[in-house]
Amino acid sequence: MQLLYSLRTHHGSNDRAYRAAFQEEDDEGNTGISLTKDLIPVAGKNLYDHIKKLGPVVLPLSELLSYCYSKVTSSLAGTKPKAPDFTTAFEHVCIHTGGKAVIEQVERVLRLRDEVTEPAKMCLHRFGNTSSSLVWYELAYFEGKKRIRKGDRLWMLAFGTGFKVGSLVWKSLRDSSMDDDNPWSDCIDSYPVTSW
């Protein structure tokens, strides 16, 4: 894989965003992550801010023009513009599987189809929430399914405390194959499952 672009946005100056996912001690002195009810709205807003910066760099001109047209017509009509179609820029998307609600929020905000979010859902089913590292397990899922072809573009999207959003844009230099150390090698044929 060749790294084409990376972007990290941090929203820690906003108290609501900063406290949405926060490491702290509980009453018994155990350190853990505290998630507030603000997490999903904060994630949606910060994802929106992040893709406003990412979109002009990665989206094809036709999709940028379509989005601009949508912005103009929606402002005249008093409605929300449609989100750009990021599947025009990427053949594959790896979404931070921070939980079912996180996947569903990203799916909703970006208007992604089920087959696009399948690797995220299957990683959550198999491994649970292991934080942002799961985007690498999603890449392994794509490789295990032999879905990546030479020249394909892949978007890794992850979230972090503080509140951070990070993107990595990759280009595949070869067709994918199942490596011996792929974490899906023992069960890839059992996926996808219908209940995750």
Side-chain angles (χ1 to χ4, degrees), residues 73-115:
T73 57
S74 65
S75 68
L76 295 173
T79 59
K80 287 185 176 182
K82 72 171 187 73
D85 182 0
F86 277 86
T87 61
T88 62
F90 306 108
E91 286 76 25
H92 313 285
V93 180
C94 298
I95 302 166
H96 174 168
T97 50
K100 188 173 183 177
V102 173
I103 297 169
E104 289 172 343
Q105 179 75 348
V106 172
E107 195 173 48
R108 186 189 65 74
V109 168
L110 295 179
R111 300 177 314 125
L112 299 174
R113 299 176 317 278
D114 279 341
E115 57 267 17

mmCIF file of all heavy atoms in Angstrom, residues 73-115:
data_model
loop_
_atom_site.group_PDB
_atom_site.id
_atom_site.type_symbol
_atom_site.label_atom_id
_atom_site.label_comp_id
_atom_site.label_asym_id
_atom_site.label_seq_id
_atom_site.Cartn_x
_atom_site.Cartn_y
_atom_site.Cartn_z
ATOM 1 N N THR A 73 -28.813 24.866 -3.893
ATOM 2 C CA THR A 73 -30.253 24.594 -3.953
ATOM 3 C C THR A 73 -30.842 24.368 -2.568
ATOM 4 O O THR A 73 -31.972 24.791 -2.300
ATOM 5 C CB THR A 73 -30.561 23.381 -4.860
ATOM 6 O OG1 THR A 73 -29.846 22.243 -4.388
ATOM 7 C CG2 THR A 73 -30.200 23.667 -6.300
ATOM 8 N N SER A 74 -30.101 23.737 -1.671
ATOM 9 C CA SER A 74 -30.628 23.510 -0.328
ATOM 10 C C SER A 74 -30.718 24.807 0.468
ATOM 11 O O SER A 74 -31.645 24.987 1.256
ATOM 12 C CB SER A 74 -29.784 22.484 0.423
ATOM 13 O OG SER A 74 -28.483 22.973 0.644
ATOM 14 N N SER A 75 -29.768 25.722 0.258
ATOM 15 C CA SER A 75 -29.847 27.001 0.977
ATOM 16 C C SER A 75 -31.027 27.827 0.479
ATOM 17 O O SER A 75 -31.674 28.526 1.255
ATOM 18 C CB SER A 75 -28.544 27.788 0.869
ATOM 19 O OG SER A 75 -28.332 28.233 -0.440
ATOM 20 N N LEU A 76 -31.334 27.727 -0.806
ATOM 21 C CA LEU A 76 -32.508 28.425 -1.350
ATOM 22 C C LEU A 76 -33.806 27.804 -0.850
ATOM 23 O O LEU A 76 -34.794 28.513 -0.621
ATOM 24 C CB LEU A 76 -32.477 28.419 -2.882
ATOM 25 C CG LEU A 76 -31.330 29.194 -3.537
ATOM 26 C CD1 LEU A 76 -31.327 28.966 -5.043
ATOM 27 C CD2 LEU A 76 -31.438 30.677 -3.210
ATOM 28 N N ALA A 77 -33.804 26.497 -0.675
ATOM 29 C CA ALA A 77 -35.005 25.779 -0.246
ATOM 30 C C ALA A 77 -35.110 25.679 1.276
ATOM 31 O O ALA A 77 -36.137 25.250 1.798
ATOM 32 C CB ALA A 77 -35.019 24.383 -0.847
ATOM 33 N N GLY A 78 -34.050 26.059 1.985
ATOM 34 C CA GLY A 78 -34.060 25.975 3.446
ATOM 35 C C GLY A 78 -33.938 24.552 3.962
ATOM 36 O O GLY A 78 -34.434 24.234 5.038
ATOM 37 N N THR A 79 -33.254 23.703 3.213
ATOM 38 C CA THR A 79 -33.055 22.306 3.616
ATOM 39 C C THR A 79 -31.563 22.036 3.779
ATOM 40 O O THR A 79 -30.731 22.894 3.481
ATOM 41 C CB THR A 79 -33.629 21.338 2.552
ATOM 42 O OG1 THR A 79 -32.972 21.578 1.307
ATOM 43 C CG2 THR A 79 -35.136 21.537 2.395
ATOM 44 N N LYS A 80 -31.229 20.824 4.215
ATOM 45 C CA LYS A 80 -29.831 20.434 4.358
ATOM 46 C C LYS A 80 -29.308 19.917 3.029
ATOM 47 O O LYS A 80 -30.022 19.207 2.317
ATOM 48 C CB LYS A 80 -29.682 19.329 5.406
ATOM 49 C CG LYS A 80 -29.853 19.806 6.822
ATOM 50 C CD LYS A 80 -29.555 18.671 7.777
ATOM 51 C CE LYS A 80 -29.632 19.148 9.211
ATOM 52 N NZ LYS A 80 -29.311 18.073 10.154
ATOM 53 N N PRO A 81 -28.061 20.230 2.682
ATOM 54 C CA PRO A 81 -27.485 19.666 1.451
ATOM 55 C C PRO A 81 -27.208 18.178 1.631
ATOM 56 O O PRO A 81 -27.017 17.707 2.751
ATOM 57 C CB PRO A 81 -26.184 20.439 1.271
ATOM 58 C CG PRO A 81 -25.821 20.878 2.647
ATOM 59 C CD PRO A 81 -27.117 21.093 3.386
ATOM 60 N N LYS A 82 -27.178 17.452 0.523
ATOM 61 C CA LYS A 82 -26.828 16.024 0.608
ATOM 62 C C LYS A 82 -25.325 15.908 0.821
ATOM 63 O O LYS A 82 -24.547 16.732 0.351
ATOM 64 C CB LYS A 82 -27.270 15.282 -0.646
ATOM 65 C CG LYS A 82 -26.455 15.594 -1.892
ATOM 66 C CD LYS A 82 -26.835 14.660 -3.016
ATOM 67 C CE LYS A 82 -25.927 14.835 -4.195
ATOM 68 N NZ LYS A 82 -24.588 14.320 -4.031
ATOM 69 N N ALA A 83 -24.946 14.900 1.551
ATOM 70 C CA ALA A 83 -23.522 14.655 1.791
ATOM 71 C C ALA A 83 -22.868 14.192 0.500
ATOM 72 O O ALA A 83 -23.503 13.518 -0.317
ATOM 73 C CB ALA A 83 -23.339 13.593 2.870
ATOM 74 N N PRO A 84 -21.614 14.551 0.268
ATOM 75 C CA PRO A 84 -20.919 14.046 -0.919
ATOM 76 C C PRO A 84 -20.823 12.525 -0.877
ATOM 77 O O PRO A 84 -20.771 11.925 0.196
ATOM 78 C CB PRO A 84 -19.531 14.677 -0.846
ATOM 79 C CG PRO A 84 -19.527 15.604 0.298
ATOM 80 C CD PRO A 84 -20.759 15.387 1.095
ATOM 81 N N ASP A 85 -20.772 11.918 -2.030
ATOM 82 C CA ASP A 85 -20.657 10.466 -2.132
ATOM 83 C C ASP A 85 -19.180 10.092 -2.146
ATOM 84 O O ASP A 85 -18.517 10.157 -3.179
ATOM 85 C CB ASP A 85 -21.358 9.972 -3.400
ATOM 86 C CG ASP A 85 -21.320 8.461 -3.550
ATOM 87 O OD1 ASP A 85 -20.746 7.784 -2.661
ATOM 88 O OD2 ASP A 85 -21.850 7.969 -4.546
ATOM 89 N N PHE A 86 -18.668 9.695 -0.994
ATOM 90 C CA PHE A 86 -17.250 9.360 -0.872
ATOM 91 C C PHE A 86 -16.895 8.051 -1.557
ATOM 92 O O PHE A 86 -15.724 7.763 -1.779
ATOM 93 C CB PHE A 86 -16.807 9.362 0.589
ATOM 94 C CG PHE A 86 -16.466 10.736 1.082
ATOM 95 C CD1 PHE A 86 -17.457 11.574 1.573
ATOM 96 C CD2 PHE A 86 -15.175 11.207 1.024
ATOM 97 C CE1 PHE A 86 -17.158 12.847 2.012
ATOM 98 C CE2 PHE A 86 -14.861 12.488 1.451
ATOM 99 C CZ PHE A 86 -15.853 13.314 1.948
ATOM 100 N N THR A 87 -17.906 7.265 -1.930
ATOM 101 C CA THR A 87 -17.598 6.038 -2.672
ATOM 102 C C THR A 87 -17.157 6.363 -4.097
ATOM 103 O O THR A 87 -16.651 5.484 -4.795
ATOM 104 C CB THR A 87 -18.786 5.058 -2.683
ATOM 105 O OG1 THR A 87 -19.907 5.666 -3.319
ATOM 106 C CG2 THR A 87 -19.150 4.633 -1.267
ATOM 107 N N THR A 88 -17.303 7.621 -4.532
ATOM 108 C CA THR A 88 -16.757 8.017 -5.833
ATOM 109 C C THR A 88 -15.242 8.234 -5.747
ATOM 110 O O THR A 88 -14.572 8.267 -6.763
ATOM 111 C CB THR A 88 -17.425 9.301 -6.364
ATOM 112 O OG1 THR A 88 -17.166 10.382 -5.454
ATOM 113 C CG2 THR A 88 -18.923 9.121 -6.543
ATOM 114 N N ALA A 89 -14.727 8.390 -4.529
ATOM 115 C CA ALA A 89 -13.293 8.608 -4.338
ATOM 116 C C ALA A 89 -12.565 7.344 -3.901
ATOM 117 O O ALA A 89 -11.352 7.240 -4.085
ATOM 118 C CB ALA A 89 -13.064 9.700 -3.292
ATOM 119 N N PHE A 90 -13.298 6.393 -3.303
ATOM 120 C CA PHE A 90 -12.670 5.205 -2.720
ATOM 121 C C PHE A 90 -13.421 3.946 -3.115
ATOM 122 O O PHE A 90 -14.649 3.919 -3.114
ATOM 123 C CB PHE A 90 -12.660 5.304 -1.188
ATOM 124 C CG PHE A 90 -12.037 6.561 -0.673
ATOM 125 C CD1 PHE A 90 -12.817 7.557 -0.117
ATOM 126 C CD2 PHE A 90 -10.672 6.755 -0.757
ATOM 127 C CE1 PHE A 90 -12.239 8.725 0.353
ATOM 128 C CE2 PHE A 90 -10.084 7.918 -0.291
ATOM 129 C CZ PHE A 90 -10.874 8.904 0.264
ATOM 130 N N GLU A 91 -12.657 2.909 -3.383
ATOM 131 C CA GLU A 91 -13.262 1.596 -3.619
ATOM 132 C C GLU A 91 -13.578 0.888 -2.300
ATOM 133 O O GLU A 91 -14.459 0.041 -2.240
ATOM 134 C CB GLU A 91 -12.330 0.711 -4.460
ATOM 135 C CG GLU A 91 -12.261 1.095 -5.925
ATOM 136 C CD GLU A 91 -11.406 2.335 -6.197
ATOM 137 O OE1 GLU A 91 -10.506 2.645 -5.390
ATOM 138 O OE2 GLU A 91 -11.654 2.989 -7.223
ATOM 139 N N HIS A 92 -12.840 1.254 -1.241
ATOM 140 C CA HIS A 92 -12.995 0.584 0.053
ATOM 141 C C HIS A 92 -12.914 1.611 1.178
ATOM 142 O O HIS A 92 -12.144 2.565 1.097
ATOM 143 C CB HIS A 92 -11.908 -0.474 0.254
ATOM 144 C CG HIS A 92 -11.721 -1.357 -0.934
ATOM 145 N ND1 HIS A 92 -12.601 -2.359 -1.260
ATOM 146 C CD2 HIS A 92 -10.768 -1.365 -1.900
ATOM 147 C CE1 HIS A 92 -12.198 -2.955 -2.367
ATOM 148 N NE2 HIS A 92 -11.079 -2.372 -2.775
ATOM 149 N N VAL A 93 -13.691 1.374 2.235
ATOM 150 C CA VAL A 93 -13.703 2.266 3.391
ATOM 151 C C VAL A 93 -13.576 1.428 4.658
ATOM 152 O O VAL A 93 -14.315 0.459 4.843
ATOM 153 C CB VAL A 93 -15.013 3.096 3.447
ATOM 154 C CG1 VAL A 93 -15.014 4.020 4.660
ATOM 155 C CG2 VAL A 93 -15.223 3.895 2.165
ATOM 156 N N CYS A 94 -12.631 1.802 5.520
ATOM 157 C CA CYS A 94 -12.455 1.154 6.829
ATOM 158 C C CYS A 94 -12.872 2.181 7.888
ATOM 159 O O CYS A 94 -12.228 3.220 8.030
ATOM 160 C CB CYS A 94 -11.001 0.751 7.056
ATOM 161 S SG CYS A 94 -10.361 -0.448 5.873
ATOM 162 N N ILE A 95 -13.941 1.875 8.615
ATOM 163 C CA ILE A 95 -14.510 2.806 9.597
ATOM 164 C C ILE A 95 -14.180 2.322 11.002
ATOM 165 O O ILE A 95 -14.371 1.142 11.315
ATOM 166 C CB ILE A 95 -16.038 2.879 9.450
ATOM 167 C CG1 ILE A 95 -16.417 3.320 8.047
ATOM 168 C CG2 ILE A 95 -16.641 3.805 10.491
ATOM 169 C CD1 ILE A 95 -17.879 3.088 7.729
ATOM 170 N N HIS A 96 -13.745 3.215 11.835
ATOM 171 C CA HIS A 96 -13.499 2.915 13.249
ATOM 172 C C HIS A 96 -14.753 2.251 13.821
ATOM 173 O O HIS A 96 -15.826 2.826 13.824
ATOM 174 C CB HIS A 96 -13.207 4.218 13.979
ATOM 175 C CG HIS A 96 -13.087 4.074 15.466
ATOM 176 N ND1 HIS A 96 -12.602 5.087 16.232
ATOM 177 C CD2 HIS A 96 -13.384 3.082 16.333
ATOM 178 C CE1 HIS A 96 -12.600 4.728 17.503
ATOM 179 N NE2 HIS A 96 -13.079 3.510 17.579
ATOM 180 N N THR A 97 -14.581 1.047 14.325
ATOM 181 C CA THR A 97 -15.711 0.299 14.864
ATOM 182 C C THR A 97 -15.833 0.520 16.359
ATOM 183 O O THR A 97 -15.705 -0.410 17.154
ATOM 184 C CB THR A 97 -15.564 -1.200 14.551
ATOM 185 O OG1 THR A 97 -14.256 -1.603 14.934
ATOM 186 C CG2 THR A 97 -15.771 -1.487 13.105
ATOM 187 N N GLY A 98 -16.087 1.751 16.748
ATOM 188 C CA GLY A 98 -16.198 2.109 18.158
ATOM 189 C C GLY A 98 -17.471 1.601 18.812
ATOM 190 O O GLY A 98 -17.686 1.785 19.990
ATOM 191 N N GLY A 99 -18.314 0.963 18.060
ATOM 192 C CA GLY A 99 -19.577 0.435 18.555
ATOM 193 C C GLY A 99 -20.620 0.520 17.460
ATOM 194 O O GLY A 99 -20.424 1.194 16.440
ATOM 195 N N LYS A 100 -21.715 -0.151 17.671
ATOM 196 C CA LYS A 100 -22.784 -0.178 16.678
ATOM 197 C C LYS A 100 -23.287 1.231 16.367
ATOM 198 O O LYS A 100 -23.500 1.580 15.211
ATOM 199 C CB LYS A 100 -23.922 -1.075 17.174
ATOM 200 C CG LYS A 100 -24.992 -1.325 16.152
ATOM 201 C CD LYS A 100 -25.997 -2.354 16.639
ATOM 202 C CE LYS A 100 -27.001 -2.616 15.531
ATOM 203 N NZ LYS A 100 -27.953 -3.657 15.901
ATOM 204 N N ALA A 101 -23.461 2.048 17.409
ATOM 205 C CA ALA A 101 -23.964 3.405 17.207
ATOM 206 C C ALA A 101 -22.993 4.250 16.381
ATOM 207 O O ALA A 101 -23.420 5.074 15.563
ATOM 208 C CB ALA A 101 -24.239 4.076 18.551
ATOM 209 N N VAL A 102 -21.688 4.048 16.575
ATOM 210 C CA VAL A 102 -20.688 4.807 15.803
ATOM 211 C C VAL A 102 -20.761 4.420 14.328
ATOM 212 O O VAL A 102 -20.796 5.289 13.443
ATOM 213 C CB VAL A 102 -19.263 4.565 16.355
ATOM 214 C CG1 VAL A 102 -18.213 5.208 15.462
ATOM 215 C CG2 VAL A 102 -19.139 5.093 17.770
ATOM 216 N N ILE A 103 -20.807 3.114 14.051
ATOM 217 C CA ILE A 103 -20.893 2.657 12.661
ATOM 218 C C ILE A 103 -22.164 3.191 12.002
ATOM 219 O O ILE A 103 -22.130 3.704 10.877
ATOM 220 C CB ILE A 103 -20.841 1.118 12.587
ATOM 221 C CG1 ILE A 103 -19.509 0.594 13.109
ATOM 222 C CG2 ILE A 103 -21.082 0.635 11.154
ATOM 223 C CD1 ILE A 103 -19.480 -0.907 13.319
ATOM 224 N N GLU A 104 -23.280 3.095 12.716
ATOM 225 C CA GLU A 104 -24.554 3.562 12.152
ATOM 226 C C GLU A 104 -24.548 5.064 11.912
ATOM 227 O O GLU A 104 -25.117 5.547 10.932
ATOM 228 C CB GLU A 104 -25.713 3.145 13.052
ATOM 229 C CG GLU A 104 -25.964 1.649 13.005
ATOM 230 C CD GLU A 104 -26.981 1.166 14.028
ATOM 231 O OE1 GLU A 104 -27.276 1.901 14.999
ATOM 232 O OE2 GLU A 104 -27.482 0.037 13.852
ATOM 233 N N GLN A 105 -23.902 5.835 12.799
ATOM 234 C CA GLN A 105 -23.829 7.289 12.622
ATOM 235 C C GLN A 105 -22.994 7.651 11.394
ATOM 236 O O GLN A 105 -23.387 8.490 10.589
ATOM 237 C CB GLN A 105 -23.245 7.951 13.879
ATOM 238 C CG GLN A 105 -23.093 9.458 13.792
ATOM 239 C CD GLN A 105 -24.403 10.220 13.916
ATOM 240 O OE1 GLN A 105 -25.480 9.655 13.855
ATOM 241 N NE2 GLN A 105 -24.305 11.516 14.063
ATOM 242 N N VAL A 106 -21.842 7.001 11.233
ATOM 243 C CA VAL A 106 -21.000 7.258 10.063
ATOM 244 C C VAL A 106 -21.751 6.834 8.797
ATOM 245 O O VAL A 106 -21.743 7.550 7.794
ATOM 246 C CB VAL A 106 -19.642 6.518 10.179
ATOM 247 C CG1 VAL A 106 -18.849 6.620 8.884
ATOM 248 C CG2 VAL A 106 -18.834 7.084 11.341
ATOM 249 N N GLU A 107 -22.405 5.703 8.858
ATOM 250 C CA GLU A 107 -23.193 5.200 7.724
ATOM 251 C C GLU A 107 -24.272 6.211 7.332
ATOM 252 O O GLU A 107 -24.481 6.496 6.157
ATOM 253 C CB GLU A 107 -23.820 3.864 8.142
ATOM 254 C CG GLU A 107 -24.376 3.016 7.053
ATOM 255 C CD GLU A 107 -24.807 1.654 7.588
ATOM 256 O OE1 GLU A 107 -25.508 1.582 8.628
ATOM 257 O OE2 GLU A 107 -24.432 0.654 6.961
ATOM 258 N N ARG A 108 -24.936 6.783 8.351
ATOM 259 C CA ARG A 108 -26.009 7.759 8.105
ATOM 260 C C ARG A 108 -25.457 9.070 7.558
ATOM 261 O O ARG A 108 -25.933 9.581 6.553
ATOM 262 C CB ARG A 108 -26.797 8.011 9.394
ATOM 263 C CG ARG A 108 -28.029 8.897 9.200
ATOM 264 C CD ARG A 108 -28.654 9.300 10.531
ATOM 265 N NE ARG A 108 -27.789 10.138 11.337
ATOM 266 C CZ ARG A 108 -27.529 11.417 11.098
ATOM 267 N NH1 ARG A 108 -28.055 12.017 10.048
ATOM 268 N NH2 ARG A 108 -26.740 12.106 11.879
ATOM 269 N N VAL A 109 -24.432 9.613 8.221
ATOM 270 C CA VAL A 109 -23.878 10.913 7.821
ATOM 271 C C VAL A 109 -23.307 10.854 6.402
ATOM 272 O O VAL A 109 -23.511 11.764 5.601
ATOM 273 C CB VAL A 109 -22.796 11.393 8.831
ATOM 274 C CG1 VAL A 109 -22.023 12.576 8.291
ATOM 275 C CG2 VAL A 109 -23.442 11.739 10.166
ATOM 276 N N LEU A 110 -22.613 9.753 6.087
ATOM 277 C CA LEU A 110 -21.963 9.634 4.776
ATOM 278 C C LEU A 110 -22.828 8.908 3.742
ATOM 279 O O LEU A 110 -22.401 8.730 2.604
ATOM 280 C CB LEU A 110 -20.615 8.924 4.910
ATOM 281 C CG LEU A 110 -19.563 9.674 5.714
ATOM 282 C CD1 LEU A 110 -18.286 8.854 5.796
ATOM 283 C CD2 LEU A 110 -19.285 11.037 5.122
ATOM 284 N N ARG A 111 -24.023 8.487 4.143
ATOM 285 C CA ARG A 111 -24.956 7.786 3.254
ATOM 286 C C ARG A 111 -24.283 6.574 2.604
ATOM 287 O O ARG A 111 -24.308 6.402 1.392
ATOM 288 C CB ARG A 111 -25.520 8.729 2.177
ATOM 289 C CG ARG A 111 -26.278 9.906 2.744
ATOM 290 C CD ARG A 111 -26.780 10.883 1.699
ATOM 291 N NE ARG A 111 -25.773 11.221 0.717
ATOM 292 C CZ ARG A 111 -25.938 11.093 -0.600
ATOM 293 N NH1 ARG A 111 -27.070 10.676 -1.097
ATOM 294 N NH2 ARG A 111 -24.968 11.416 -1.442
ATOM 295 N N LEU A 112 -23.685 5.730 3.444
ATOM 296 C CA LEU A 112 -22.972 4.553 2.951
ATOM 297 C C LEU A 112 -23.896 3.336 2.901
ATOM 298 O O LEU A 112 -24.751 3.167 3.765
ATOM 299 C CB LEU A 112 -21.776 4.239 3.852
ATOM 300 C CG LEU A 112 -20.706 5.331 3.939
ATOM 301 C CD1 LEU A 112 -19.661 4.956 4.976
ATOM 302 C CD2 LEU A 112 -20.075 5.575 2.583
ATOM 303 N N ARG A 113 -23.709 2.512 1.916
ATOM 304 C CA ARG A 113 -24.487 1.282 1.769
ATOM 305 C C ARG A 113 -23.946 0.202 2.715
ATOM 306 O O ARG A 113 -22.805 0.255 3.158
ATOM 307 C CB ARG A 113 -24.414 0.780 0.322
ATOM 308 C CG ARG A 113 -24.984 1.755 -0.693
ATOM 309 C CD ARG A 113 -24.813 1.272 -2.134
ATOM 310 N NE ARG A 113 -23.529 0.692 -2.469
ATOM 311 C CZ ARG A 113 -22.439 1.397 -2.789
ATOM 312 N NH1 ARG A 113 -22.489 2.713 -2.804
ATOM 313 N NH2 ARG A 113 -21.310 0.790 -3.086
ATOM 314 N N ASP A 114 -24.774 -0.807 2.972
ATOM 315 C CA ASP A 114 -24.386 -1.902 3.870
ATOM 316 C C ASP A 114 -23.106 -2.593 3.438
ATOM 317 O O ASP A 114 -22.271 -2.948 4.274
ATOM 318 C CB ASP A 114 -25.508 -2.946 3.956
ATOM 319 C CG ASP A 114 -26.606 -2.532 4.920
ATOM 320 O OD1 ASP A 114 -26.357 -1.667 5.766
ATOM 321 O OD2 ASP A 114 -27.705 -3.102 4.820
ATOM 322 N N GLU A 115 -22.932 -2.801 2.130
ATOM 323 C CA GLU A 115 -21.731 -3.516 1.681
ATOM 324 C C GLU A 115 -20.457 -2.703 1.934
ATOM 325 O O GLU A 115 -19.376 -3.275 2.076
ATOM 326 C CB GLU A 115 -21.831 -3.942 0.215
ATOM 327 C CG GLU A 115 -22.083 -2.835 -0.760
ATOM 328 C CD GLU A 115 -23.555 -2.594 -1.080
ATOM 329 O OE1 GLU A 115 -24.416 -3.056 -0.335
ATOM 330 O OE2 GLU A 115 -23.818 -1.922 -2.078
#
